[in-house]
């Protein structure tokens, strides 16, 4: 089960290049349900995602390079390319009433900086272990709008668009 929230951001962290990152390229063979082929650095993955916006089933299968490029030739829409930065969020904040996590608890912010034609779009995603935790999460100050339930910010939707980001910015 994938449980994640998505946010636009107010500003990119100044020390962004100090965090580990991966270059991601992905294509969509279907958008309902989502069937995606992804190249992350030198790894290739076929993903099935069930219905839902914040929480949904997700299954991953390993692919080889040849299979990835073969599937992308059959993809609907554009190939999406982005750099994903992995930023630790130490001591995440939660709404009042949510049980305090252990002192050493942290989450990871996956900050996606999109390449053209979707640049200058930047989206932050945070994954959670439960729906309750996701709903109680208080985002850091540098996050802006919660776009978890906005289809326009889901990569599978974006792949079918013209590539101009004016429709979401």
């Amino acid at each position: 089960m994938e449980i994640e929230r998505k946010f636009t951001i107010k500003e990119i962290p100044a020390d962004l290049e100090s965090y580990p990152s991966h270059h991601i390229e992905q294509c969509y063979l279907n958008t309902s349900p989502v069937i995606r082929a992804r190249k992350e650095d030198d790894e290739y993955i076929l993903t099935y995602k069930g219905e839902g916006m914040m929480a949904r089933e997700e299954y991953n299968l390993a692919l080889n390079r040849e299979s990835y490029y073969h599937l992308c030739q059959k993809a609907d829409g554009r190939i999406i390319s982005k750099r994903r930065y992995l930023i630790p969020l130490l001591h995440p904040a939660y709404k009042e009433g949510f049980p305090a996590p252990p002192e050493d608890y942290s989450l990871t912010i996956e900050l996606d900086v999109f390449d053209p034609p979707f640049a200058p779009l930047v989206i932050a995603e945070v994954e959670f272990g439960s729906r309750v935790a996701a709903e109680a999460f208080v985002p850091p100050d540098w996050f802006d709008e919660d776009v978890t339930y906005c289809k326009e910010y889901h990569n599978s939707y974006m792949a079918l668009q013209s590539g101009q980001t004016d429709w979401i910015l």
Side-chain angles (χ1 to χ4, degrees), residues 75-91:
D76 294 335
R78 294 177 178 270
I79 292 176
I80 291 182
S81 178
K82 59 191 176 182
R83 171 134 322 257
R84 172 168 286 170
Y85 294 89
L86 305 173
I87 303 171
L89 179 58
L90 307 175
H91 315 293

Side-chain angles (χ1 to χ4, degrees), residues 3-5 7 19-22 84-92 94 105-111 123-129 137 140 142-143:
I3 304 167
E4 72 178 6
R5 288 181 58 192
F7 300 87
Y19 296 107
S21 69
H22 301 282
R84 172 168 286 170
Y85 294 89
L86 305 173
I87 303 171
L89 179 58
L90 307 175
H91 315 293
Y94 291 93
Y105 184 73
S106 68
L107 294 170
T108 300
I109 298 167
E110 296 176 336
L111 190 70
I123 297 290
E125 297 180 357
V126 182
E127 290 198 23
F128 301 89
F137 176 70
W142 58 278
F143 282 21

Side-chain angles (χ1 to χ4, degrees), residues 8-44:
T8 56
I9 63 165
K10 294 176 187 169
E11 60 185 79
I12 293 176
D15 57 348
L16 188 61
E17 294 301 324
S18 69
Y19 296 107
S21 69
H22 301 282
H23 188 263
I24 296 173
E25 182 182 279
Q26 57 198 33
C27 62
Y28 291 85
L29 302 166
N30 199 49
T31 58
S32 185
V34 170
I35 301 174
R36 173 188 76 202
R38 172 182 276 179
K39 176 184 182 289
E40 183 171 323
D41 299 327
D42 294 324
E43 291 185 36
Y44 303 89

Side-chain angles (χ1 to χ4, degrees), residues 65-83:
R65 183 182 190 283
E66 293 75 23
S67 296
Y68 169 78
Y69 286 106
H70 177 76
L71 290 171
C72 282
Q73 290 175 0
K74 299 171 182 327
D76 294 335
R78 294 177 178 270
I79 292 176
I80 291 182
S81 178
K82 59 191 176 182
R83 171 134 322 257

Side-chain angles (χ1 to χ4, degrees), residues 54-68:
M54 182 179 74
R56 56 187 172 170
E57 289 179 279
E58 180 178 283
Y59 301 97
N60 292 307
L61 298 168
L63 286 176
N64 60 30
R65 183 182 190 283
E66 293 75 23
S67 296
Y68 169 78

Side-chain angles (χ1 to χ4, degrees), residues 8 118 121 123 145 147 151-153 157-158 161 164-169:
T8 56
F118 298 102
L121 183 63
I123 297 290
E145 184 182 354
V147 294
K151 69 178 181 189
E152 294 84 2
Y153 290 90
Y157 179 88
M158 291 169 49
Q161 305 312 305
Q164 298 302 316
T165 55
D166 332 347
W167 48 275
I168 57 174
L169 297 177

